Amino acid sequence: MLPVALHTARLELSAPTASDADAIYEACQDPAIPFFTTVPSPYPREFADQFVAQAIERWEELSHATWAIRLDGALVGMVGLHDLQDTESAELGFWVTAEARGQGIVREASDAVIDWGFSTDALDLVRVEWRAAVGNTASARVAQALGFRFEGTLRQVLRNGHGQRSDGWIASLLATDDRTRQEWPIAL
């Protein structure tokens, strides 16, 4: 599949390109990104080039759909639907630069991506899953605001290259859900 561009009131979501590699590298130097995501640490410059190449490859095979989040033309984060292999479900993942946090950008971008994923003209997903390390309350607030239903805590191994084990939160959103903010049994 060819990458699909999405637009919101403030954002452009498009496949990352080679010209984004410097901005991706710079963003991934923020210790919070590898701490709370699967981004490896340390993150050398060549990883950004590899990430861009993999993102395009994965769009072509439709195993992942990854978008660069752009605000006023500048890359401020990534959002994607992952693990798309014939399951009618996907996992939502995202990160945003330190400068862009607290502005509702991740929620706005994720909302557009979820709409696209559920659309019968796109992936026609039935379920979108969200996972985060316990303690990543900023990510949990986004998922909660998007209408995800909290399912519980699970033991997980982070895929950030360290084989680190941690407790993780898991929540899901069904295509049939009304997508209103859900109350969760954890303190956010």
Side-chain angles (χ1 to χ4, degrees):
M1 172 180 244
L2 292 174
V4 174
L6 303 173
H7 296 85
T8 71
R10 299 182 295 165
L11 307 172
E12 177 191 338
L13 308 175
S14 58
T17 66
S19 63
D20 294 321
D22 285 336
I24 293 167
Y25 166 74
E26 288 299 322
C28 291
Q29 301 313 300
D30 173 1
I33 291 175
F35 186 79
F36 284 120
T37 70
T38 60
V39 170
S41 177
Y43 194 85
R45 173 61 177 76
E46 61 267 17
F47 282 17
D49 293 320
Q50 293 168 6
F51 172 78
V52 169
Q54 283 180 338
I56 298 304
E57 205 174 277
R58 290 173 174 172
W59 262 106
E60 290 171 0
E61 62 193 26
L62 201 56
S63 61
H64 299 315
T66 302
W67 290 266
I69 305 170
R70 302 175 199 286
L71 176 65
D72 299 326
L75 185 136
V76 296
M78 292 288 161
V79 63
L81 293 171
H82 309 287
D83 302 324
L84 296 172
Q85 293 86 2
D86 302 318
T87 61
E88 296 184 333
S89 68
E91 182 179 342
L92 176 70
F94 48 76
W95 59 257
V96 69
T97 61
E99 301 79 27
R101 292 181 191 138
Q103 300 177 39
I105 289 170
V106 171
R107 184 182 190 285
E108 187 175 330
S110 296
D111 205 31
V113 165
I114 291 166
D115 284 348
W116 181 82
F118 283 149
S119 171
T120 56
D121 294 333
L123 297 179
D124 198 20
L125 296 174
V126 173
R127 181 178 192 270
V128 174
E129 187 175 279
W130 163 89
R131 293 176 185 226
V134 168
N136 190 350
T137 56
S139 182
R141 282 189 211 103
V142 170
Q144 183 184 40
L146 288 165
F148 279 77
R149 295 180 187 277
F150 187 79
E151 293 180 356
T153 304
L154 53 90
R155 197 73 165 148
Q156 61 186 6
V157 176
L158 299 180
R159 295 174 289 188
N160 61 5
H162 298 293
Q164 177 182 355
R165 298 186 194 293
S166 73
D167 288 333
W169 289 322
I170 185 169
S172 66
L173 185 64
L174 302 178
T176 55
D177 287 342
D178 65 9
R179 302 212 7 218
T180 57
R181 184 180 183 281
Q182 299 294 308
E183 291 304 318
W184 285 17
I186 57 174
L188 299 177

